[in-house]
Amino acid sequence: MPNQNVLVINCGSASLRFSVFANGCGEPLICGNAENLEKEKAYIKWKVTLQNEPVIVHKEQMAGADHKKILNTIFALLNSYGFLEKLSLIGHKVTHGGEHFSKPVVLNDKIIKTLNQISNLAPLHNPANITGIKLARKNLPNVMQVAVFDTGFHQSMPAHAYLYGLPVKYHTEYGVRRYGFHGISHQYASEKTVEFLGLQNEHGIISVHLDHGSSVCAINNGRSVDTSMGFTPLEGLVMGTRCGDIDASIVDYLNLKIGMPVADITRLLNKGCGLLGLSGISDDIRVLVDHAHKGNADAQLAIEIFCYRVAKYITSYIASLERLDAIVFTGKIGESENLIRDKIISRLAVLGIKVNTQENTKRGDKIRLLSSDSQSSRCQLVLVPVAEELQIAKQCKMLVS
């Protein structure tokens, strides 16, 4: 299908991102996002790149807009620029595929029924993903649509990595296991790193996706072999508002000690902890870096804990690999916050890794090497700008071609 457009839709619980790629590759012809859905401050913004014309950037307030109104606006927008005329595929990001889906699938009624059945595994994300799928199928019924799963890349993990220390029946009967997330991002970052460094078929990479939600992934010869997020995105690193790893007994302790219902504790662990809870200031790392520079001790400690946890996971994942060729940083924090990268890398000195200060501090949206020449380590540090929508488009094209 040469010269055909691929639309990618990433429907979140209160947000929506979209991009259109010519033939499923390259820079997007148009991309944008909507935030604060169903709230007074809801808005949509987009950027259009047309041949031989200046880039168009626009933002529109849409108070109270829901997924349906936003998607209708997007379809009308795409039509006005003529992008729908050559639309051949729509790719949807789906957060959780359970054990049913390890690869992208063409959507049909049977697949959507299965997605509904496993929505309890990701109650905040999958229902929103399904809403986007249903609206897109209704508006564009003649366009093939594909689901790409954020858990899919991690389905290659061995049992010793994905099983918890629970009776096996909880896995076989109820699906309790490590699933992992950010698989689309980790796969893209690792593939670009292999290409950038010219690595051979045998290679080991640790991918570090740092954003409001963060995770680390050990990748052996292109396959995920372990990752920090677990049954839900709560496990693993300290994140924007998620606590990450804690002793499970804390839930029972808080319930008994202060009478906090389990549902409220779960909400706290997901929405009121992490950087926000530790600092008491913000869940935005940029805000905390600013406060830390001004001497705020709470912000400084929150950042130290965040970076320490990342470095601890990186070093622990060496045990998952046969060799370590590269550590790659991606995600909005991973690619934009040089102070955070520097603090994490400084804890990896035992690996003989040294950062190239000039490369680490400069800005840019291109893949680049962050490590300095070192005879004591074969491991390179790489920065790969996040490109989930591009990876989804690429996987959609591979599926149908």
Side-chain angles (χ1 to χ4, degrees):
M1 291 181 294
N3 301 317
Q4 297 294 297
N5 293 335
V6 178
L7 167 63
V8 175
I9 297 174
N10 182 352
C11 238
S13 57
S15 64
L16 193 155
R17 296 205 306 267
F18 72 97
S19 297
V20 173
F21 298 91
N23 208 29
C25 60
E27 294 296 320
L29 303 172
I30 182 172
C31 61
N33 65 289
E35 301 286 345
N36 303 317
L37 270 58
E38 300 186 27
K39 296 181 181 178
E40 185 65 26
K41 294 183 179 180
Y43 68 87
I44 183 171
K45 63 180 180 180
W46 64 85
K47 179 176 73 172
V48 185
T49 305
L50 299 174
Q51 192 173 11
N52 301 322
E53 292 186 29
V55 174
I56 301 168
V57 179
H58 188 77
K59 180 176 180 179
E60 182 178 331
Q61 298 297 325
M62 297 184 65
D66 58 9
H67 289 91
K68 181 178 181 180
K69 188 171 183 179
I70 292 294
L71 276 171
N72 285 338
T73 300
I74 291 170
F75 295 140
L77 179 67
L78 298 182
N79 189 52
S80 69
Y81 284 109
F83 294 138
L84 289 186
E85 296 175 8
K86 293 184 178 181
L87 188 63
S88 63
L89 273 174
I90 300 177
H92 296 269
K93 177 181 175 180
V94 177
T95 299
H96 214 308
E99 293 183 299
H100 295 270
F101 304 108
S102 60
K103 297 180 180 179
V105 293
V106 176
L107 285 159
N108 55 38
D109 292 341
K110 183 179 178 180
I111 296 293
I112 294 172
K113 182 179 179 180
T114 303
L115 292 179
N116 278 310
Q117 290 171 345
I118 62 174
S119 280
N120 62 322
L121 293 174
L124 294 178
H125 299 88
N126 270 34
N129 304 153
I130 295 168
T131 295
I133 289 169
K134 289 181 176 179
L135 289 170
R137 293 183 83 209
K138 182 179 179 180
N139 279 271
L140 298 166
N142 297 321
V143 179
M144 183 182 293
Q145 309 206 22
V146 173
V148 180
F149 300 90
D150 218 17
T151 52
F153 182 57
H154 302 302
Q155 286 294 300
S156 57
M157 286 190 294
H160 66 253
Y162 70 70
L163 284 178
Y164 291 111
L166 299 170
V168 176
K169 71 174 184 179
Y170 292 105
H171 168 235
T172 56
E173 296 180 22
Y174 305 109
V176 177
R177 54 160 285 181
R178 179 182 306 282
Y179 288 102
F181 301 88
H182 297 141
I184 296 167
S185 175
H186 287 305
Q187 184 176 11
Y188 177 80
S190 62
E191 288 175 352
K192 294 299 289 185
T193 298
V194 169
E195 178 185 324
F196 178 69
L197 295 178
L199 299 177
Q200 303 304 311
N201 291 335
E202 294 186 0
H203 58 265
I205 292 172
I206 296 176
S207 174
V208 184
H209 176 102
L210 302 180
D211 207 326
H212 192 268
S214 300
S215 65
V216 179
C217 180
I219 301 165
N220 190 57
N221 302 334
R223 295 166 60 85
S224 171
V225 292
D226 207 346
T227 190
S228 57
M229 283 183 168
F231 180 65
T232 74
L234 180 61
E235 188 180 358
L237 305 177
V238 168
M239 304 175 225
T241 59
R242 299 183 188 123
C243 63
D245 295 338
I246 61 167
D247 185 335
S249 297
I250 292 172
V251 176
D252 188 50
Y253 178 82
L254 291 176
N255 177 257
L256 294 173
K257 192 74 173 178
I258 61 177
M260 183 181 286
V262 173
D264 290 348
I265 297 172
T266 301
R267 192 175 300 110
L268 170 69
L269 299 180
N270 278 283
K271 298 292 186 181
C273 293
L275 293 173
L276 176 63
L278 287 166
S279 69
I281 300 169
S282 176
D283 59 346
D284 189 329
I285 199 79
R286 296 168 298 182
V287 175
L288 296 186
V289 168
D290 183 55
H291 279 76
H293 282 318
K294 296 175 181 176
N296 185 289
D298 293 329
Q300 292 170 350
L301 180 59
I303 290 171
E304 288 299 326
I305 293 171
F306 178 87
C307 295
Y308 171 72
R309 187 71 67 88
V310 175
K312 188 168 78 166
Y313 259 101
I314 290 173
T315 53
S316 72
Y317 278 172
I318 294 174
S320 305
L321 300 172
E322 298 170 7
R323 53 187 286 172
L324 179 59
D325 295 281
I327 298 168
V328 53
F329 289 89
T330 191
K332 290 181 181 178
I333 294 175
E335 65 182 80
S336 65
E337 295 298 328
N338 63 285
L339 172 68
I340 302 302
R341 293 194 302 267
D342 192 50
K343 284 183 172 294
I344 294 168
I345 295 165
S346 69
R347 291 186 174 275
L348 305 178
V350 68
L351 302 178
I353 297 172
K354 295 182 180 179
V355 68
N356 182 321
T357 303
Q358 182 178 353
E359 288 298 317
N360 190 45
T361 53
K362 79 177 186 181
R363 295 284 180 176
D365 59 356
K366 304 295 182 183
I367 185 172
R368 65 181 188 272
L369 196 66
L370 298 178
S371 48
S372 60
D373 292 334
S374 174
Q375 299 299 317
S376 58
S377 175
R378 294 183 303 165
C379 176
Q380 302 286 354
L381 298 171
V382 181
L383 184 149
V384 175
V386 66
E388 281 188 311
E389 281 76 27
L390 177 59
Q391 179 71 358
I392 292 170
K394 174 185 171 183
Q395 292 193 31
C396 290
K397 289 291 292 184
M398 289 177 64
L399 175 66
V400 301
S401 61

